[in-house]
């Protein structure tokens, strides 16, 4: 892939039923302490802004029609 250096990047793209989808991946965790609602809001705000920015900055040859944010949760309580 080629990209502009100053833009946020999407991790990878897939094609499903003739639709190109950009996929951004992040991990919901906290190194020391309990991951809480405020951590979740901060993470989602940061990552969703990055998703929007990467969509604006993608080169036309790599453009996707949809983008998803895949979140890995390190602990079961975070999933809820």
């Amino acid at each position: 892939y080629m990209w502009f250096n100053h833009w946020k990047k999407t991790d990878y793209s897939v094609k499903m039923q003739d639709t190109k989808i950009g996929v951004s991946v992040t991990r919901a965790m906290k190194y020391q302490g309990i991951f809480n609602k405020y951590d979740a809001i901060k993470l989602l705000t940061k990552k969703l802004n990055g998703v929007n920015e990467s969509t604006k900055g993608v080169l036309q040859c790599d453009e996707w029609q949809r983008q998803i944010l895949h979140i890995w949760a390190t602990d079961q309580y975070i999933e809820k």
Side-chain angles (χ1 to χ4, degrees), residues 23-76:
V23 181
S24 290
V25 180
T26 191
R27 182 175 31 207
M29 64 170 287
K30 193 167 190 172
Y31 178 64
Q32 293 183 343
I34 301 295
F35 188 88
N36 59 38
K37 179 180 177 179
Y38 302 105
D39 297 317
I41 291 169
K42 183 178 176 182
L43 177 64
L44 283 173
T45 300
K46 177 183 174 187
K47 295 306 289 186
L48 291 174
N49 284 334
V51 163
N52 287 332
E53 188 175 333
S54 70
T55 296
K56 291 176 189 174
V58 69
L59 297 178
Q60 189 173 7
C61 62
D62 294 321
E63 213 167 43
W64 46 79
Q65 289 78 39
R66 300 262 190 263
Q67 186 161 195
I68 61 172
L69 175 60
H70 181 110
I71 302 172
W72 289 95
T74 57
D75 295 285
Q76 197 169 27

